[in-house]
Every structure is written in structure tokens, then in C-alpha cells.
Amino acid sequence: MEEEGSSGADNIVTEFATYEDFLDSQITSLDLYYLEDEELARQLVELGYRGSGEVLKREEFEARKQAAEASRLSKRISYLKMALSSSGKDLKNTFLRALGQREDGNRSGKMTSIIFIRDKNSRNQEISGYIDFAHRLKTEDFEPYFAGKKRLLPRPSDLSFYNWETQTSTSNPTPNYQVIAENASGLLFKNKRDRKILNVDPKAATPGDNSNRSPIDTDQYIQVVIYDHITRRKT
């Protein structure tokens, strides 16, 4: 019976954000009609005189709420250790460390990073392009990249791709960004969640609202720049 009571209390702290919300759930419209005082009705529920469900003291509610939050955080940390491709890896260069710092944010949706890479492909042809990091993380296994077994390079299927030798040029929308190619300001990317414009022109004073530009100093590529856009969720 004690285990059932404990389980019931745990369900209560999960269901209700505050102790007052829990008390209000126990008050009937008839209680309010006769008492004409919501605060008095809450006090009677807390004392066990009114209410149709389990009696739970404020101290016990708060303690269980904190325990539930600690458990949630612990599970998230355990999940991230398993889910993050960069977790536990010896990130040997500045580029991989920069990606590792952004992996959680891009996986969770808190940010959407665009990676500009300019380098040579396996045929020694110079290529460049813009990669939607969050989209690539969802569609590709990044463990070989973080382990140093593969090199991240732009592809014709990425947001933007250009082969300087063959002059092949492609652009593609992703779940996170729309490509605006025909623009006087040059190449622009529109975030599909908050509709903010990200300007990748290095001469621009700023890449845009909630965005920043980070050139990465690395010997692994000719040039790398990461544009981070912090997503503002609608409330």
C-alpha cells in the first residue's frame, strides 16, 4: 500500500507545476459556492478537510518536485552522454572542438549552426559550401567525424555547394533554412522557425538578429566559418 501511495504522490508532482495547482484541482465548484474564498478552500484541502483526492503536505510536494527534477536532469545527462557523437572523444583540432561545443545545442533545437567550409575534395578540386549542421546531425552518423576517421566536407545536397573547377553550383532548402540566392546582398539563409535572416557576407556588420559569426583557425581546411543562430521559441 505504501508503494501505491508513493507512486500516487509522484504522479501528482509530475502532473502539477505548483502546490497551489494541486490544491485547486481538489476544490469543487460547490466548495467555492459555499466558502466564497479560494484561499480558505485551499487551506481546508491542505488540512485534509476538503478535497476528493490524496492529501499531500506542501513540504512533501516540494521535496518530491525537487527529486523529480533531479531525476529528470540525471536522465538527460545520461542520454546526452549516449546520444552525443562527440561525447568521450579526444577532439584533436580546433574545428572538431568547435563542432563538439555546438552539438548539443543543434541536436536539442536551441540553436541552428551553418558551417562554411572551403577546401579540396578527393580529386584535388577546390570546393566550398554551407552546411546545415543540425540537419546533417539528424541524417548522418557524426561519430567517424569526431573520431577523426572522416573529414567533413560540403556536398551538392547541402544548403549551398560550389565546385570551383567544374563550376557546378547547387542550393537546397533544409528543414531549418530556406536559401535566398537571388539577392543584391548576396547569399542569405532564412530560418524557418523564427523567420530571421542570416547574412553570410563577411563584409556585413552583423550576420543578423540572434546570430554570430565565428571564423575557425584550423590547419585542416583552407577556410572554416561557423554561423550560429540562437532560436527564440514562441511562448
Side-chain angles (χ1 to χ4, degrees):
M1 293 295 291
E2 187 176 340
E3 286 187 6
E4 289 182 10
S6 175
S7 176
D10 289 340
N11 290 337
I12 288 170
V13 299
T14 303
E15 182 178 353
F16 301 104
T18 67
Y19 187 63
E20 283 69 27
D21 289 343
F22 162 65
L23 294 178
D24 290 346
S25 73
Q26 302 293 301
I27 299 170
T28 67
S29 56
L30 197 60
D31 291 332
L32 291 174
Y33 176 77
Y34 284 110
L35 294 171
E36 298 181 345
D37 188 331
E38 186 179 44
E39 193 57 40
L40 177 59
R42 285 176 175 174
Q43 291 174 11
L44 291 175
V45 171
E46 189 169 359
L47 292 170
Y49 293 120
R50 305 297 301 168
S52 55
E54 184 176 351
V55 177
L56 191 64
K57 296 294 182 184
R58 181 181 295 273
E59 293 77 12
E60 186 180 358
F61 179 91
E62 297 295 347
R64 288 184 179 273
K65 195 75 174 173
Q66 289 179 8
E69 179 64 14
S71 175
R72 186 189 70 80
L73 288 174
S74 176
K75 287 178 181 176
R76 173 165 169 76
I77 290 169
S78 297
Y79 165 77
L80 288 176
K81 284 181 178 177
M82 292 187 294
L84 294 182
S85 301
S86 58
S87 180
K89 300 287 190 305
D90 179 16
L91 305 178
K92 298 182 182 297
N93 59 65
T94 53
F95 176 57
L96 291 181
R97 286 193 289 273
L99 293 188
Q101 291 166 2
R102 293 163 169 82
E103 185 184 3
D104 181 23
N106 276 270
R107 285 193 186 277
S108 65
K110 292 178 182 177
M111 67 191 303
T112 48
S113 301
I114 292 179
I115 307 165
F116 171 77
I117 292 179
R118 181 180 167 208
D119 205 54
K120 294 190 175 181
N121 62 16
S122 58
R123 297 179 181 177
N124 206 36
Q125 298 170 332
E126 187 171 319
I127 59 172
S128 62
Y130 292 89
I131 299 169
D132 180 344
F133 186 35
H135 181 52
R136 278 273 206 120
L137 282 169
K138 286 184 177 180
T139 57
E140 190 176 357
D141 179 13
F142 259 70
E143 197 155 346
Y145 293 116
F146 285 116
K149 296 176 182 177
K150 287 177 69 176
R151 294 177 72 246
L152 183 65
L153 287 172
R155 299 170 176 168
S157 57
D158 281 315
L159 275 171
S160 177
F161 173 86
Y162 186 68
N163 185 310
W164 292 82
E165 184 170 316
T166 65
Q167 296 189 348
T168 302
S169 176
T170 63
S171 62
N172 307 279
T174 69
N176 301 308
Y177 285 100
Q178 175 186 341
V179 182
I180 305 175
E182 302 299 325
N183 190 278
S185 301
L187 191 62
L188 302 174
F189 299 104
K190 185 176 184 179
N191 188 280
K192 290 183 177 180
R193 180 173 295 184
D194 61 15
R195 307 183 70 80
K196 298 289 186 182
I197 298 293
L198 196 153
N199 185 350
V200 295
D201 183 353
K203 296 178 183 177
T206 171
D209 292 343
N210 310 326
S211 300
N212 59 71
R213 180 181 187 271
S214 303
I216 306 299
D217 185 15
T218 176
D219 296 329
Q220 311 299 314
Y221 297 89
I222 295 174
Q223 185 183 9
V224 175
V225 181
I226 301 179
Y227 298 85
D228 296 315
H229 181 72
I230 307 302
T231 304
R232 296 284 180 89
R233 293 180 181 275
K234 291 182 180 180
T235 56

